[in-house]
Amino acid sequence: METSTTGDPLPAEAVLLLEALLKEDQPVNRALLTQIPHLRVIGRCPCSCASIDFGLDRAAVPSAPVTGNPVADGTVLDADGEPVGGAMVFAYDGYLSNLEVYGWGDDQITRLPSPDRIC
């Protein structure tokens, strides 16, 4: 992940999804949650899925404890409550780096799922 203060603001849907995925009360999650207001969108997946790459001014926030990846994940449910894919949060060197959203099968998830569609 690169240090960056440029890029687009993080969409509200991404903030809500990150907060839902990082809701478990653990030191690494608490530290990563403090980074969310400082994130910028610096890239998106070329395949049309809803995945986002983050830029972050590392001088603005402390790093989280280093852990394995993904640091958080969940299953994405459709409107009928059936599993259709997943969402994963990645962090490198203690800093949020990207949010991956993927579908199972041939259909990509092209919009960020709402937190009530994550289990």
Side-chain angles (χ1 to χ4, degrees):
M1 182 187 128
E2 66 184 70
T3 299
S4 176
T5 57
T6 61
D8 296 327
L10 197 62
E13 299 84 8
V15 171
L16 294 173
L17 184 55
L18 285 168
E19 290 172 344
L21 290 166
L22 295 168
K23 70 181 178 206
E24 191 172 326
D25 190 22
Q26 294 184 2
V28 66
N29 290 10
R30 287 191 301 270
L32 291 172
L33 285 168
T34 67
Q35 296 176 9
I36 293 173
H38 303 278
L39 295 175
R40 306 289 288 180
V41 176
I42 61 168
R44 296 185 184 272
C45 187
C47 78
S48 79
C49 71
S51 298
I52 300 172
D53 292 326
F54 303 130
L56 174 68
D57 179 1
R58 292 182 177 196
V61 293
S63 67
V66 176
T67 63
N69 274 304
V71 294
D73 64 343
T75 301
V76 177
L77 307 174
D78 67 11
D80 297 323
E82 296 297 318
V84 294
M88 297 186 292
V89 179
F90 291 87
Y92 294 97
D93 300 326
Y95 295 96
L96 288 167
S97 63
N98 62 302
L99 172 63
E100 183 176 334
V101 180
Y102 58 92
W104 296 329
D106 295 333
D107 294 328
Q108 287 295 325
I109 297 173
T110 58
R111 296 183 61 172
L112 292 173
S114 63
D116 64 337
R117 297 268 174 94
I118 300 292
C119 69

